[in-house]
Amino acid sequence: PFPPPAPAAMAATPAMAAASAVDTFDFRSVKSGYDIIYEARALALPQGTRDGLDQARDSATAKARIAESAARLDKVGAAIEKQYWVNGREELRRFLGTLRFDINTLAATSPPSTAKKLLATKKDMFDNIDKMDFAMRSKNQAAAAKAYDTVVKQMATFL
């Protein structure tokens, strides 16, 4: 019912004529960054690797990520100061999961006496983070600022 398109219409521009219809690239050979999609599907790998638990198990990487978490904590303090409750709580959640993991990694690579102190400080710090989160949820600036100051002091232990 419809006439076939003219050859000139098929190649409207030289760039369109040079482009192929489908370009494929196998990213499994590229080993930079976070290769979770391929590692999670590779049944030959151990379950810990498939779950991503082996990706940051050295203390240098953990310390770098803890330093990044400390910088993000400064943003939480600014949000408390300005009473931007939602932004502060969202920023708090962005780094908490990796912070727990990184502190555990740092403790695992430390001598036993130091590890025990780090884990005790971690427990107290996360209790204070919970207090800070509750104060932000309750929109209580004084309590949030007090908890924030305590958390900043405790975070310095890990840097």
Side-chain angles (χ1 to χ4, degrees):
F2 294 105
M10 293 293 287
T13 64
M16 289 176 74
S20 66
V22 177
D23 291 330
T24 59
F25 184 76
D26 186 7
F27 284 98
R28 289 178 290 187
S29 62
V30 178
K31 289 295 180 190
S32 62
Y34 212 55
D35 300 323
I36 280 189
I37 194 160
Y38 300 112
E39 289 182 352
R41 295 176 181 165
L43 296 176
L45 294 175
Q47 187 65 41
T49 302
R50 292 177 62 205
D51 290 342
L53 300 176
D54 298 338
Q55 291 181 351
R57 287 293 184 185
D58 60 288
S59 61
T61 305
K63 285 181 183 180
R65 286 176 22 171
I66 290 171
E68 181 183 342
S69 296
R72 286 181 178 263
L73 187 61
D74 292 340
K75 293 179 184 178
V76 174
I80 290 171
E81 187 177 306
K82 295 177 185 176
Q83 296 184 358
Y84 292 169
W85 305 118
V86 174
N87 294 348
R89 292 183 70 214
E90 286 176 356
E91 189 65 41
L92 189 63
R93 275 156 183 69
R94 286 188 181 116
F95 67 85
L96 284 183
T98 58
L99 183 61
R100 287 180 199 270
F101 181 79
D102 292 332
I103 292 173
N104 288 340
T105 300
L106 195 62
T109 58
S110 299
S113 60
T114 307
K116 197 170 189 177
K117 291 176 187 174
L118 288 175
L119 293 175
T121 304
K122 179 190 95 164
K123 183 183 180 311
D124 291 341
M125 184 177 76
F126 276 97
D127 287 345
N128 287 316
I129 287 173
D130 288 341
K131 289 176 186 174
M132 180 173 55
D133 183 48
F134 181 75
M136 288 193 302
R137 190 173 70 217
S138 304
K139 299 180 181 176
N140 183 344
Q141 188 176 19
K146 181 180 176 185
Y148 170 76
D149 291 338
T150 307
V151 169
V152 167
K153 290 175 188 170
Q154 290 172 328
M155 183 72 106
T157 306
F158 305 108
L159 296 176

